[in-house]
Amino acid sequence: MLNQRLAAAQSVAEAFRPAEEAIDQAAILATRCLATMMEARAASGVPLNTGLDELARMLALSTRLIEARREVIALHPDLAAIRDAVGLRAWFGDSDECSPVDNPKGQDFQAPGLHAIG
């Protein structure tokens, strides 16, 4: 039974990370596409309202991908709770590969020009 739980937990961990990375990559690509669309409109000299609905749709898509990333982050402690509930903490330990959500690098990093709103 323990071996089955360990195998199941390992398979979830192996499937979770690529899904998480794919969401990040999709958000990057969608946001880059939005910027490219805006730059292309400006460079082509067409009226400002050209493609405005499509820009709004791409912005909404980018926003949904960022929200998906937030949900993936929120899953980390929930999955850890399941791990603990089925008795696997001793095998996986308390230190998984995830950093705290509010300080992903474990540092006092503040990007230039950015500040917390709250």
Side-chain angles (χ1 to χ4, degrees), residues 9-97:
Q10 188 63 37
S11 68
V12 169
E14 289 172 1
F16 190 80
R17 178 142 332 252
E20 187 173 35
E21 291 170 1
I23 291 169
D24 281 348
Q25 188 62 23
I28 290 166
L29 294 173
T31 305
R32 188 175 294 145
C33 182
L34 175 63
T36 300
M37 290 167 69
M38 294 182 75
E39 291 166 348
R41 198 250 3 116
S44 66
V46 297
L48 290 174
N49 66 344
T50 301
L52 196 55
D53 290 340
E54 291 74 19
L55 286 169
R57 288 171 62 193
M58 184 56 76
L59 175 60
L61 172 64
S62 296
T63 301
R64 286 192 305 270
L65 288 165
I66 297 300
E67 289 302 319
R69 180 63 177 121
R70 183 185 315 273
E71 288 298 318
V72 166
I73 291 168
L75 274 171
H76 283 261
D78 297 339
L79 292 174
I82 293 171
R83 172 203 65 201
D84 297 349
V86 298
L88 296 177
R89 184 181 187 121
W91 283 267
F92 284 92
D94 190 28
S95 61
D96 30 298
E97 296 179 21

